[in-house]
Amino acid sequence: MPSQGNSNIPPGSGGIEIDLDSEEPPKLTLEDYTKALAEFDAAVCEALAVGQAGGPREAVPYFGYGTHIFTRLCAHAVAIMRAAPRSRWVQSDSEFWDFSAIAGHVRALIEGYLLFAYIVDTPESYDEWRAKLNVMHLYDCSRRQRLFAGLGHKDQRDGFKVQATDLRSRLTGNPWFTQLDEKLRKKLLEGNELTIWTRNEQLEHVGMEPKYFYWMWDTLSQHTHVLTFSFYRLEANGRGTSIMNEVDLGYLTVFLQAATWVLTPCTDTMVEMFPDKADARKGLDSKFSPGPRRNLPKHKKR
């Protein structure tokens, strides 16, 4: 998916020009927000419908793992739709106009998009796939070791330590893995890397320019956590207080558009992987369950 041509219009901005030297989002209107929300709503409906279409099926392993990642992408997408103000997915007697409501989920979507594209990419050989899989297994194993060590669960920690040793043995015996640069192999065997590709290699693979990714990532991170960007400029006009205001409205609009931009190609790829799912895509009228009444299959409405 190539990035858009204008250097000031990042992928996911819906054609809105972004000043990367400014800490502020572009000045947008409620109409812009409503349009962005509707477009993301349609993208979520199609993703859920495609994910649920058809029954169990056989697939190559990397497609199989991809479906699990896609399920998590859908979960974060639904969370955004349920948190975004004026969403048809939730009935409420009050509105919460704070960018932090969706920031963490949009960040997860972008991160998941890169991982999804990496995992489902057709490997050059079975050895390459096994290397990618075992690097991911080792990362997971190492994280669980730390978790249980911190909790004082020695038996659990030691069990994952044994598994980590086995995974390192598999990797060092993998012909494709042993052809990698020695420095990279050593880094991957430490168990701290989820993927063999670097972040910039993943960005290149999906056609996202690094400067836009890091602008989005840093902005989202500042509002996912309680960091300075999220509270240094609280203002009487409502910024950061949940009252509708120009800044939060701008951030919400831009990042709903970014969420649409990363979710849609994942749905496209799912249809490429499983062509029989294509008919499930019907925009806002796509059928899935659970969800808003408009989207429930007929037998679920009764």
Side-chain angles (χ1 to χ4, degrees):
M1 283 63 67
S3 57
Q4 299 179 32
N6 189 321
S7 61
N8 292 321
I9 301 178
S13 68
I16 294 171
E17 188 167 331
I18 304 293
D19 181 0
L20 299 184
D21 295 323
S22 173
E23 296 177 8
E24 305 296 333
K27 297 184 185 301
L28 300 171
T29 66
L30 184 58
E31 183 180 357
D32 294 322
Y33 171 80
T34 301
K35 179 181 178 182
L37 180 63
E39 290 173 348
F40 184 62
D41 191 348
V44 176
C45 289
E46 291 197 341
L48 290 168
V50 165
Q52 294 180 14
R57 68 205 53 211
E58 292 186 3
V60 291
Y62 41 97
F63 285 0
Y65 274 90
T67 63
H68 292 293
I69 297 170
F70 188 74
T71 297
R72 294 307 306 156
L73 290 173
C74 288
H76 285 288
V78 169
I80 293 170
M81 281 307 307
R82 296 189 65 82
R86 302 197 178 178
S87 168
R88 72 184 178 94
W89 290 56
V90 174
Q91 298 299 317
S92 176
D93 58 4
S94 63
E95 295 180 348
F96 185 74
W97 290 92
D98 194 299
F99 175 49
S100 65
I102 72 167
H105 294 297
V106 177
R107 191 177 72 157
L109 270 187
I110 295 173
E111 185 176 49
Y113 170 42
L114 297 180
L115 181 61
F116 177 79
Y118 164 81
I119 284 295
V120 302
D121 183 61
T122 302
E124 65 182 39
S125 67
Y126 183 70
D127 285 335
E128 181 190 0
W129 164 246
R130 295 300 299 176
K132 290 170 74 171
L133 182 62
N134 285 321
V135 164
M136 185 166 65
H137 285 344
L138 181 58
Y139 169 85
D140 181 76
C141 194
S142 298
R143 292 286 172 169
R144 293 176 193 270
Q145 271 184 259
R146 294 178 194 173
L147 172 66
F148 288 112
L151 293 172
H153 295 175
K154 185 176 181 298
D155 290 344
Q156 290 273 29
R157 180 205 64 188
D158 291 347
F160 284 112
K161 189 174 182 179
V162 170
Q163 289 184 36
T165 299
D166 177 62
L167 289 166
R168 290 188 176 96
S169 178
R170 295 184 197 178
L171 286 167
T172 56
N174 183 312
W176 188 90
F177 184 82
T178 57
Q179 293 178 10
L180 296 175
D181 177 76
E182 181 179 359
K183 186 176 180 180
L184 176 58
R185 293 200 309 269
K186 182 178 179 181
K187 182 180 180 181
L188 295 171
L189 289 170
E190 290 174 355
N192 296 322
E193 304 296 326
L194 179 62
T195 64
I196 297 173
W197 297 355
T198 65
R199 175 57 57 80
N200 282 353
E201 287 173 334
Q202 293 179 55
L203 293 174
E204 182 180 3
H205 180 63
V206 301
M208 189 186 299
E209 293 187 33
K211 65 179 178 180
Y212 294 132
F213 168 81
Y214 290 110
W215 175 82
M216 290 190 291
W217 188 259
D218 290 343
T219 302
L220 291 164
S221 296
Q222 286 286 330
H223 292 82
T224 297
H225 308 290
V226 184
L227 298 176
T228 54
F229 277 24
S230 70
F231 66 84
Y232 263 20
R233 295 189 177 181
L234 294 182
E235 298 175 1
N237 66 6
R239 178 176 180 175
T241 64
S242 82
I243 299 171
M244 185 189 289
N245 64 91
E246 186 177 85
V247 175
D248 282 292
L249 178 66
Y251 276 132
L252 284 163
T253 302
V254 167
F255 283 98
L256 280 173
Q257 293 170 331
T260 301
W261 187 82
V262 300
L263 182 61
T264 299
C266 294
T267 307
D268 294 340
T269 300
M270 283 287 290
V271 171
E272 291 172 8
M273 289 158 46
F274 307 106
D276 61 304
K277 290 176 173 282
D279 291 342
R281 302 184 78 170
K282 292 179 171 58
L284 287 169
D285 291 320
S286 302
K287 302 303 178 184
F288 55 89
S289 176
R293 182 173 177 79
R294 170 179 177 175
N295 301 104
L296 294 176
K298 289 183 179 180
H299 70 279
K300 293 285 187 179
K301 292 181 180 180
R302 291 195 292 268

